[in-house]
Amino acid sequence: MFRFVIAAAAIALSTGFALANGHGGGEAAPAPKPEAAIAPAKVIITKQGPKLVDLKGMTLYYYERDTTGKTSNCNGKCTESWVPLPATADAKAVGDFTVISRNDGSKMWAYRYRPLYTSPADKTPGEANGTATTLQWRIARPEE
């Protein structure tokens, strides 16, 4: 008789979970976690100090005339020498990185509200051949 009571209790308990679709008695399933946004750049340490590079390792630059944080002053022919760091149309700000609209309607990334660019003069990751102090172009650094 004792075995019958144990067996009946085991069946009753297992049936309860089966009727609740395996969710343990009607508890709601956990909500899906939102995907973490990925920053468009990273910091690397060089002999000259830390600098920002894109996800391919190419040095990023900023233009000193980009001061409003809302627009880029490098448009048209300028983009042949300084390539804007593109952002997708649905990109959202991540940490110190923001998205700004360009004159042509495209989006680009900015760091602490300074638009970011790469230089075609840099052929391999880590190169920094695009610095032009007389033209007010600087390597983007995390402390700036």
Side-chain angles (χ1 to χ4, degrees):
M1 178 73 169
F2 182 71
R3 288 185 190 171
F4 176 74
V5 172
I6 297 293
I11 292 171
L13 288 174
S14 65
T15 307
F17 286 112
L19 293 175
N21 286 333
H23 288 116
E27 294 177 17
K33 294 181 181 178
E35 291 185 29
I38 298 173
K42 58 188 176 182
V43 177
I44 64 166
I45 306 300
T46 67
K47 290 179 184 176
Q48 295 76 32
K51 70 177 179 179
L52 292 174
V53 297
D54 68 9
L55 298 179
K56 296 177 185 172
M58 302 305 285
T59 300
L60 292 170
Y61 301 87
Y62 72 90
Y63 187 33
E64 286 187 354
R65 293 186 182 171
D66 287 338
T67 57
T68 67
K70 296 179 181 171
T71 59
S72 166
N73 287 307
C74 181
N75 295 293
K77 200 157 181 76
C78 176
T79 60
E80 293 174 13
S81 299
W82 301 97
V83 181
L85 183 61
T88 60
D90 62 344
K92 304 279 186 235
V94 178
D96 286 332
F97 294 96
T98 55
V99 179
I100 63 169
S101 295
R102 299 187 43 74
N103 286 356
D104 64 5
S106 65
K107 305 277 185 184
M108 73 179 291
W109 287 104
Y111 178 73
R112 294 188 178 169
Y113 300 100
R114 282 195 183 262
L116 295 170
Y117 308 84
T118 58
S119 172
D122 296 338
K123 303 299 181 199
T124 60
E127 285 186 343
N129 300 318
T131 303
T133 55
T134 58
L135 298 175
Q136 301 176 331
W137 288 92
R138 307 283 183 260
I139 293 172
R141 300 192 183 278
E143 66 271 1
E144 296 174 346

